[in-house]
mmCIF file of all heavy atoms in Angstrom:
data_model
loop_
_atom_site.group_PDB
_atom_site.id
_atom_site.type_symbol
_atom_site.label_atom_id
_atom_site.label_comp_id
_atom_site.label_asym_id
_atom_site.label_seq_id
_atom_site.Cartn_x
_atom_site.Cartn_y
_atom_site.Cartn_z
ATOM 1 N N GLY A 244 -5.001 5.760 12.595
ATOM 2 C CA GLY A 244 -5.273 4.300 12.580
ATOM 3 C C GLY A 244 -4.043 3.531 12.636
ATOM 4 O O GLY A 244 -3.940 2.467 13.378
ATOM 5 N N ASN A 245 -2.973 3.934 12.030
ATOM 6 C CA ASN A 245 -1.749 3.214 11.988
ATOM 7 C C ASN A 245 -1.033 3.187 13.346
ATOM 8 O O ASN A 245 -0.581 2.097 13.776
ATOM 9 C CB ASN A 245 -0.758 3.889 10.856
ATOM 10 C CG ASN A 245 0.619 3.172 10.897
ATOM 11 O OD1 ASN A 245 0.622 2.029 10.393
ATOM 12 N ND2 ASN A 245 1.624 3.795 11.274
ATOM 13 N N LEU A 246 -1.022 4.340 14.102
ATOM 14 C CA LEU A 246 -0.461 4.320 15.362
ATOM 15 C C LEU A 246 -1.253 3.514 16.326
ATOM 16 O O LEU A 246 -0.718 2.795 17.217
ATOM 17 C CB LEU A 246 -0.321 5.789 15.845
ATOM 18 C CG LEU A 246 0.662 6.614 14.966
ATOM 19 C CD1 LEU A 246 0.586 8.059 15.468
ATOM 20 C CD2 LEU A 246 2.104 6.063 15.121
ATOM 21 N N VAL A 247 -2.700 3.682 16.279
ATOM 22 C CA VAL A 247 -3.491 2.851 17.103
ATOM 23 C C VAL A 247 -3.388 1.345 16.863
ATOM 24 O O VAL A 247 -3.268 0.514 17.716
ATOM 25 C CB VAL A 247 -4.971 3.270 17.076
ATOM 26 C CG1 VAL A 247 -5.970 2.350 17.710
ATOM 27 C CG2 VAL A 247 -5.135 4.759 17.528
ATOM 28 N N GLY A 248 -3.256 1.065 15.481
ATOM 29 C CA GLY A 248 -3.043 -0.320 15.144
ATOM 30 C C GLY A 248 -1.842 -1.000 15.672
ATOM 31 O O GLY A 248 -1.891 -2.165 16.121
ATOM 32 N N GLY A 249 -0.707 -0.216 15.638
ATOM 33 C CA GLY A 249 0.483 -0.766 16.242
ATOM 34 C C GLY A 249 0.406 -1.023 17.753
ATOM 35 O O GLY A 249 0.832 -2.093 18.201
ATOM 36 N N HIS A 250 -0.330 -0.188 18.453
ATOM 37 C CA HIS A 250 -0.525 -0.385 19.828
ATOM 38 C C HIS A 250 -1.416 -1.621 20.150
ATOM 39 O O HIS A 250 -1.205 -2.497 21.005
ATOM 40 C CB HIS A 250 -1.171 0.905 20.436
ATOM 41 C CG HIS A 250 -1.468 0.736 21.926
ATOM 42 N ND1 HIS A 250 -0.480 0.724 22.888
ATOM 43 C CD2 HIS A 250 -2.748 0.645 22.623
ATOM 44 C CE1 HIS A 250 -1.078 0.589 24.111
ATOM 45 N NE2 HIS A 250 -2.454 0.510 23.946
ATOM 46 N N LEU A 251 -2.638 -1.671 19.378
ATOM 47 C CA LEU A 251 -3.585 -2.766 19.595
ATOM 48 C C LEU A 251 -2.980 -4.094 19.214
ATOM 49 O O LEU A 251 -3.204 -5.160 19.846
ATOM 50 C CB LEU A 251 -4.799 -2.520 18.766
ATOM 51 C CG LEU A 251 -5.690 -1.299 19.211
ATOM 52 C CD1 LEU A 251 -6.846 -1.171 18.204
ATOM 53 C CD2 LEU A 251 -6.127 -1.494 20.629
ATOM 54 N N ALA A 252 -2.111 -4.158 18.107
ATOM 55 C CA ALA A 252 -1.597 -5.399 17.652
ATOM 56 C C ALA A 252 -0.564 -5.948 18.748
ATOM 57 O O ALA A 252 -0.491 -7.150 18.816
ATOM 58 C CB ALA A 252 -0.929 -5.231 16.287
ATOM 59 N N ASP A 253 0.112 -5.086 19.394
ATOM 60 C CA ASP A 253 0.998 -5.593 20.498
ATOM 61 C C ASP A 253 0.210 -6.072 21.631
ATOM 62 O O ASP A 253 0.750 -6.957 22.353
ATOM 63 C CB ASP A 253 1.899 -4.400 20.954
ATOM 64 C CG ASP A 253 3.209 -4.257 20.007
ATOM 65 O OD1 ASP A 253 3.619 -5.268 19.425
ATOM 66 O OD2 ASP A 253 3.677 -3.157 19.872
ATOM 67 N N ILE A 254 -0.956 -5.646 21.822
ATOM 68 C CA ILE A 254 -1.897 -6.105 22.940
ATOM 69 C C ILE A 254 -2.501 -7.470 22.527
ATOM 70 O O ILE A 254 -2.408 -8.477 23.261
ATOM 71 C CB ILE A 254 -2.842 -5.116 23.351
ATOM 72 C CG1 ILE A 254 -2.263 -3.891 23.847
ATOM 73 C CG2 ILE A 254 -3.839 -5.641 24.329
ATOM 74 C CD1 ILE A 254 -3.195 -2.719 24.096
ATOM 75 N N ASP A 255 -3.150 -7.444 21.396
ATOM 76 C CA ASP A 255 -3.921 -8.649 20.941
ATOM 77 C C ASP A 255 -4.041 -8.596 19.492
ATOM 78 O O ASP A 255 -4.895 -8.047 18.813
ATOM 79 C CB ASP A 255 -5.349 -8.739 21.569
ATOM 80 C CG ASP A 255 -5.959 -10.062 21.358
ATOM 81 O OD1 ASP A 255 -5.787 -10.692 20.359
ATOM 82 O OD2 ASP A 255 -6.788 -10.483 22.274
ATOM 83 N N LEU A 256 -3.086 -9.225 18.693
ATOM 84 C CA LEU A 256 -2.970 -9.162 17.312
ATOM 85 C C LEU A 256 -4.152 -9.847 16.651
ATOM 86 O O LEU A 256 -4.676 -9.338 15.657
ATOM 87 C CB LEU A 256 -1.700 -9.772 16.775
ATOM 88 C CG LEU A 256 -1.291 -9.635 15.404
ATOM 89 C CD1 LEU A 256 0.233 -9.532 15.269
ATOM 90 C CD2 LEU A 256 -1.868 -10.661 14.462
ATOM 91 N N ARG A 257 -4.598 -10.953 17.117
ATOM 92 C CA ARG A 257 -5.714 -11.729 16.586
ATOM 93 C C ARG A 257 -7.021 -10.921 16.556
ATOM 94 O O ARG A 257 -7.589 -10.775 15.534
ATOM 95 C CB ARG A 257 -5.890 -13.023 17.308
ATOM 96 C CG ARG A 257 -7.137 -13.850 16.774
ATOM 97 C CD ARG A 257 -7.269 -15.153 17.466
ATOM 98 N NE ARG A 257 -8.455 -15.835 16.939
ATOM 99 C CZ ARG A 257 -8.651 -17.157 17.220
ATOM 100 N NH1 ARG A 257 -7.782 -17.877 18.010
ATOM 101 N NH2 ARG A 257 -9.822 -17.762 16.803
ATOM 102 N N ARG A 258 -7.347 -10.316 17.675
ATOM 103 C CA ARG A 258 -8.665 -9.547 17.710
ATOM 104 C C ARG A 258 -8.466 -8.318 16.838
ATOM 105 O O ARG A 258 -9.508 -7.904 16.226
ATOM 106 C CB ARG A 258 -8.938 -9.187 19.156
ATOM 107 C CG ARG A 258 -9.406 -10.351 20.007
ATOM 108 C CD ARG A 258 -9.857 -9.853 21.403
ATOM 109 N NE ARG A 258 -10.328 -10.930 22.224
ATOM 110 C CZ ARG A 258 -10.843 -10.806 23.450
ATOM 111 N NH1 ARG A 258 -10.867 -9.560 23.965
ATOM 112 N NH2 ARG A 258 -11.311 -11.850 24.041
ATOM 113 N N THR A 259 -7.386 -7.668 16.827
ATOM 114 C CA THR A 259 -7.198 -6.506 16.082
ATOM 115 C C THR A 259 -7.411 -6.775 14.566
ATOM 116 O O THR A 259 -7.999 -6.107 13.842
ATOM 117 C CB THR A 259 -5.737 -5.896 16.317
ATOM 118 O OG1 THR A 259 -5.651 -5.612 17.641
ATOM 119 C CG2 THR A 259 -5.612 -4.624 15.479
#
Side-chain angles (χ1 to χ4, degrees):
N245 182 65
L246 296 174
V247 171
H250 177 73
L251 293 177
D253 278 328
I254 296 173
D255 193 326
L256 191 148
R257 176 176 177 169
R258 288 187 178 180
T259 304

